[in-house]
Amino acid sequence: MVGIASLKNIEDLKGRNVFILFGKTRAGKSTFINDAYQKPVVTSTQAMTSDTNAISYVTDALSINGRKIVLVDTIGLGGSEDEHDRMSFAGDWVRIFSPGGDSRTGSGGTLRPTVKGFLYFIDITDAAGLNEDNRRNLDMFKAMIGDKVLGSVVFVTTKWAKRGYDAWDDAWDDQDDRFEQWQYEINRSFPGASIVRLDEETSRCSKKRLDRMSPSERERETAKYHRNAMRVLSEVMKTEAQDLPQVQEEIADGGEGLTIGGLTLGSVIEVQLKKDAERADRIGMTDAANQLKSKASIISALPIALAGVISQVFDAATEILKECGEWLASSVQQLIEFVSTQF
């Protein structure tokens, strides 16, 4: 029976062909997995909040072109829950790629990659386009994967409007303009990666419309979605990664004492948090600014070995803030040092 399991460490999938799905909340990652398997493997609804609340993988490998691959579903970037914030994003992926990941083999001690490719999903109906939030998501993604694996990255645009009616054609034209903007940015910032239109020709019916169809009509319709998904997977499998993603490589080479902030991913997120704290300070949102400063300090100083308890460290720091009434970098540092002795 096909199911999902929480991904604690990339070691869980050692020796398998892993493809990781990224993207903003509601971009279509979970729906894509269901289309690929032609069954409801993961939860996917029409709600505005993310359905995925943990990084997880499909337990049964998917067969395609004579190979078996494993799909990893991730928490949507920019979600409304605590698990979806940038600090937790850093903690989750540092934990997953920390020692205990891919084994060193051969006389040269080469670290062999398990992750063979990356799919980044873009909701083409998102009128925000390349706003600051979406650019930040791209920056985090790039900091995580680095430059060496860009040929194994496919950006997947989803939710294309149907064509054939004036209203739909107008919507499609707007989406096409948005696609060109994304394409320009991806070509500039992710040279070697590709961008595809998942369902430009077939689009998707609403769930209500699918439910009204006869079984045979529904089968024909969903078969289109399956073909679209398999086409994209075939594309990303053309050039499988021969190198590690940047965050895994930096962890492997970092040595003792490496902190999350010492990684490119951590550094990028720390800068983003500090900028947000400055904005909050300027408009008098002192409590919000203090929390953001606390998160930035935790990212900067937390050893990678404690990435798995980053949320607990932040909760403890929040209690300190309540007692002190202000943000104290020294208190956060002392807290981290204390937590380090407990694990």
Side-chain angles (χ1 to χ4, degrees), residues 5 20 33 48 60 66 73 85 92 121 140 165 179 191 197 201 216 224 240-241 273 297-298 315 342:
I20 303 179
I33 291 176
M48 292 306 293
D60 284 24
D73 194 16
D85 70 18
D92 284 342
F121 287 75
M140 290 192 299
Y165 296 93
F179 178 86
R197 306 177 189 226
E201 299 301 326
S216 60
K224 299 176 184 176
E240 295 185 358
L273 290 167
S297 290
I298 290 170
D315 290 342
Q342 306 303 304

Side-chain angles (χ1 to χ4, degrees), residues 20 22 55 74 89 92-94 96-97 115 118 138-147 149 244-250 264-266 268:
I20 303 179
F22 290 93
I55 298 172
T74 61
F89 177 89
D92 284 342
W93 286 106
V94 171
I96 284 171
F97 284 121
V115 181
F118 305 85
L138 286 179
D139 289 342
M140 290 192 299
F141 180 59
K142 180 66 177 294
M144 178 180 165
I145 65 171
D147 294 322
V149 300
L244 301 173
Q246 179 168 267
V247 66
Q248 187 177 9
E249 186 174 49
E250 289 178 346
T264 303
L265 174 62
V268 165

Side-chain angles (χ1 to χ4, degrees), residues 88-138:
S88 296
F89 177 89
D92 284 342
W93 286 106
V94 171
R95 166 181 56 80
I96 284 171
F97 284 121
S98 285
D102 289 330
S103 60
R104 293 183 179 274
T105 60
S107 58
T110 302
L111 201 59
R112 299 181 61 182
T114 289
V115 181
K116 303 298 185 183
F118 305 85
L119 297 168
Y120 189 104
F121 287 75
I122 300 167
D123 177 0
I124 203 65
T125 68
D126 182 3
L130 281 165
N131 66 353
E132 182 180 19
D133 184 48
N134 284 329
R135 288 182 183 276
R136 283 183 167 192
N137 290 341
L138 286 179

Side-chain angles (χ1 to χ4, degrees), residues 156-226:
V156 185
T157 57
T158 64
K159 304 184 182 180
W160 284 85
K162 289 182 178 291
R163 305 187 72 180
Y165 296 93
D166 289 343
W168 288 343
D169 285 348
D170 287 344
W172 190 93
D173 287 342
D174 290 339
Q175 292 167 6
D176 192 47
D177 289 341
R178 208 169 290 134
F179 178 86
E180 291 181 0
Q181 295 169 9
W182 278 101
Q183 186 175 43
Y184 175 83
E185 180 60 28
I186 288 165
N187 288 340
R188 185 182 71 84
S189 301
F190 297 82
S194 58
I195 180 170
V196 299
R197 306 177 189 226
L198 175 62
D199 45 14
E200 177 190 15
E201 299 301 326
T202 58
S203 298
R204 296 186 71 91
C205 293
S206 67
K207 185 177 183 300
K208 287 184 178 180
R209 186 176 174 189
L210 279 175
D211 289 342
R212 290 195 299 265
M213 292 180 180
S214 68
S216 60
E217 289 175 326
R218 190 181 307 116
E219 183 178 355
R220 286 194 298 272
E221 183 66 22
T222 56
K224 299 176 184 176
Y225 309 156
H226 173 69

Side-chain angles (χ1 to χ4, degrees), residues 230-289:
M230 299 305 272
R231 175 176 57 85
V232 170
L233 289 171
S234 295
E235 178 69 23
V236 76
M237 290 174 67
K238 286 180 180 177
T239 311
E240 295 185 358
Q242 301 300 312
D243 295 285
L244 301 173
Q246 179 168 267
V247 66
Q248 187 177 9
E249 186 174 49
E250 289 178 346
I251 290 171
D253 295 339
E256 188 175 352
L258 180 64
T259 66
I260 296 177
L263 304 169
T264 303
L265 174 62
S267 176
V268 165
I269 293 177
E270 182 184 351
V271 169
Q272 292 179 0
L273 290 167
K274 286 180 176 179
K275 286 183 178 179
D276 288 344
E278 291 172 1
R279 289 176 181 173
D281 266 333
R282 285 199 299 268
I283 60 177
M285 297 178 63
T286 305
D287 289 346

Side-chain angles (χ1 to χ4, degrees), residues 16-47:
R16 304 174 76 179
N17 301 307
V18 177
F19 292 83
I20 303 179
L21 284 61
F22 290 93
K24 197 172 179 179
T25 297
R26 310 308 309 148
K29 301 181 296 298
S30 299
T31 299
F32 179 87
I33 291 176
N34 291 340
D35 288 344
Y37 278 88
Q38 293 183 287
K39 63 180 67 178
V41 178
V42 291
T43 302
S44 178
T45 69
Q46 300 303 310

